[in-house]
Amino acid sequence: MIPSVLPTYNRAPLEFVKGEGSWLVERDGRRFLDLGSGIAVNALGHAHPDLVAALHEQAQKLWHVSNLYTIPQQQRLADLLVQHTFADTVFFTNSGTESCELAVKMARKYWYDQGDSDRVEIITFEGSFHGRSTAAIAAAGSEKMVKGFGPVLGGFTHLPWGEHDALRAAVTDRTAAILIEPVQGEGGIRSLPDQCLKGLRRICDETGALLILDEVQCGMGRTGRLFAHEWAGIAPDIMMVAKGIGGGFPLGAVLASERAASGMTAGTHGSTYGGNPLGCAVGLKVVEIVSAPGFLEQVNARAGALRQKLEALVASRPEVFEEVRGSGLMLGLVCKAPNTDVVKAGYDNLVITVPAADNVVRLLPPLNITDDEISEALARLDAAAVQVETAASSC
Ligand SMILES: *Cc1c(COP(=O)(O)O)cnc(C)c1O
């Protein structure tokens, strides 16, 4: 008999009932150190008092009015994002996959309005993840995601990761946009070198193609800058945001330059819930905190400490780990042992991590994790590694 919850997930047998900062409390009372943050969503940890207050205050006033009317919280959040980024304009969604939908539509509409209605192709990369809607799975293009769900939305060209010549050759006068994650999340914490991001920007400038960055996972302070592309000193034309921006409340956004957004006039796109007062009240508080002076410096300091300790862990447990990769507080442990064994051993030792492709264990702790918590995390990860080593040597 089919379970009452559609069985599309492989769930761990854990049931959390409470969250406090970097900690999750299981139903049985065990306290887990959370280095997953609900897959980079709880950017400020669980139950941050300022976010709780923002949500509570808005909940007492007004939940929903629809986008038929002015929503002041939405306006303020858009203004703040425009102030702190390349963007001239923002559309709010409820998720990353919805942001992908709009990014694709926006790029195609731009060229249509330029009188170039054949210019519809979007170049994407192997190992990428952009969500689960039909456009998002077509964009990623992996067999695992699209098989059985055809006809797959057309107009996407998938290139291998990091092959410059293939990219050069693939960009034609039918290329509407290039879509890429500056740091692949699901794909195994694979960072695009700054030089490559600069190169992509150059190709787009030369050909007119729009550069769409998917910063759903790597954005909102995760890499130590507000958005990951800032490290390369370039700006996209369109950017997808979600996950961390809501701090746990479902919220996403598409940020765009005036040029890229020029086709999106009244009636061309919409969302019932996107940009609702509750989500925007929380998102506003998240962006205020993450963009406040000094916050990202602290993220970088913590990231440096965590990385150094992880390098030592990898060196001391060579049978389990191969290397550390990633940037800021978006780190991956490339494993020698099966990554799922490491994640499970983590559960046994009360530390939460998240598996990713390429046999990687992802570490996406809250951006405000403390130094003591980082030390505790390492002790627990080491205990998990010992457990994996011991299990391997006994069979
Ligand atoms: C999670 C994710 C998405 C999809 O976001 P949803 O909110 O799950 O729809 C898209 N892109 C990237 C890079 C992601 O990590």
Side-chain angles (χ1 to χ4, degrees):
M1 206 170 67
I2 193 164
S4 58
V5 174
L6 190 71
T8 60
Y9 299 106
N10 276 317
R11 296 174 197 270
L14 293 169
E15 192 177 324
F16 298 112
V17 293
K18 193 171 163 54
E20 300 162 343
S22 304
W23 298 87
L24 278 170
V25 183
E26 220 272 345
R27 197 157 67 127
D28 62 13
R30 285 180 301 163
R31 291 173 62 82
F32 288 73
L33 191 46
D34 185 8
L35 305 183
S37 305
I39 320 185
V41 167
N42 302 103
L44 300 173
H46 300 278
H48 189 291
D50 293 355
L51 302 197
V52 172
L55 183 64
H56 188 71
E57 197 183 308
Q58 188 56 45
Q60 287 178 319
K61 281 192 218 155
L62 185 63
W63 291 22
H64 177 82
V65 291
S66 90
N67 285 298
L68 294 170
Y69 313 103
T70 297
I71 300 174
Q73 297 79 13
Q74 189 185 119
Q75 182 63 55
R76 283 206 291 279
L77 180 52
D79 289 343
L80 192 61
L81 289 167
V82 165
Q83 183 194 326
H84 283 290
T85 68
F86 75 96
D88 302 311
T89 188
V90 184
F91 182 94
F92 292 102
T93 68
N94 308 284
S95 68
T97 203
E98 284 172 79
S99 295
C100 183
E101 291 295 312
L102 174 55
V104 167
K105 285 177 69 177
M106 186 182 280
R108 289 179 172 171
K109 185 65 160 49
Y110 172 78
W111 289 111
Y112 179 87
D113 286 355
Q114 300 298 304
D116 216 345
S117 55
D118 283 345
R119 196 160 176 170
V120 297
E121 292 288 331
I122 297 178
I123 292 177
T124 60
F125 297 87
E126 281 169 10
S128 64
F129 181 80
H130 303 295
R132 296 294 198 150
S133 61
T134 46
I137 61 173
S142 73
E143 158 122 356
K144 196 176 117 191
M145 271 186 271
V146 299
K147 195 175 172 207
F149 297 110
V152 178
L153 183 67
F156 293 93
T157 304
H158 306 103
L159 299 185
W161 180 258
E163 285 186 24
H164 300 236
D165 296 344
L167 175 63
R168 270 280 173 192
V171 180
T172 69
D173 57 7
R174 294 201 57 212
T175 305
I178 299 175
L179 163 57
I180 194 164
E181 295 159 81
V183 185
Q184 284 190 346
E186 306 303 309
I189 312 292
R190 289 199 294 179
S191 304
L192 194 66
D194 290 350
Q195 275 316 106
C196 297
L197 206 45
K198 284 197 177 99
L200 280 176
R201 180 69 268 177
R202 209 174 310 121
I203 290 172
C204 287
D205 289 341
E206 285 163 16
T207 59
L210 299 169
L211 180 60
I212 306 173
L213 295 182
D214 180 346
E215 294 227 16
V216 168
Q217 193 162 151
C218 63
M220 282 317 298
R222 183 60 43 201
T223 68
R225 300 293 288 265
L226 188 54
F227 290 101
H229 66 266
E230 295 170 21
W231 288 113
I234 59 107
D237 301 290
I238 300 173
M239 179 167 69
M240 297 155 49
V241 178
K243 292 201 167 98
I245 190 173
F249 197 95
L251 177 65
V254 174
L255 279 65
S257 68
E258 185 162 16
R259 169 189 168 231
S262 57
M264 303 307 295
T265 51
T268 55
H269 196 64
S271 166
T272 295
Y273 291 123
N276 68 78
L278 288 173
C280 288
V282 178
L284 186 60
K285 189 51 77 180
V286 172
V287 178
E288 278 173 5
I289 291 173
V290 175
S291 64
F295 184 88
L296 290 172
E297 282 80 353
Q298 287 188 338
V299 171
N300 284 305
R302 288 173 197 129
L306 176 58
R307 175 135 200 163
Q308 201 177 17
K309 290 188 160 85
L310 289 173
E311 300 281 2
L313 171 70
V314 167
S316 69
R317 304 286 171 209
E319 282 157 48
V320 182
F321 300 117
E322 233 170 77
E323 62 159 324
V324 187
R325 66 189 190 194
S327 115
L329 289 175
M330 183 170 187
L331 295 169
L333 290 168
V334 184
C335 295
K336 220 167 255 166
N339 60 345
T340 47
D341 289 1
V342 176
V343 171
K344 281 204 190 88
Y347 296 151
D348 293 339
N349 291 279
L350 307 184
V351 59
I352 307 281
T353 58
V354 184
D358 242 11
N359 205 32
V360 164
V361 168
R362 261 182 289 182
L363 307 179
L364 307 158
L367 303 181
N368 53 3
I369 189 170
T370 66
D371 291 338
D372 286 351
E373 286 164 349
I374 288 175
S375 298
E376 184 59 34
L378 262 292
R380 292 180 185 204
L381 288 171
D382 190 52
V386 171
Q387 185 179 320
V388 171
E389 267 177 2
T390 313
S393 63
S394 69
C395 62

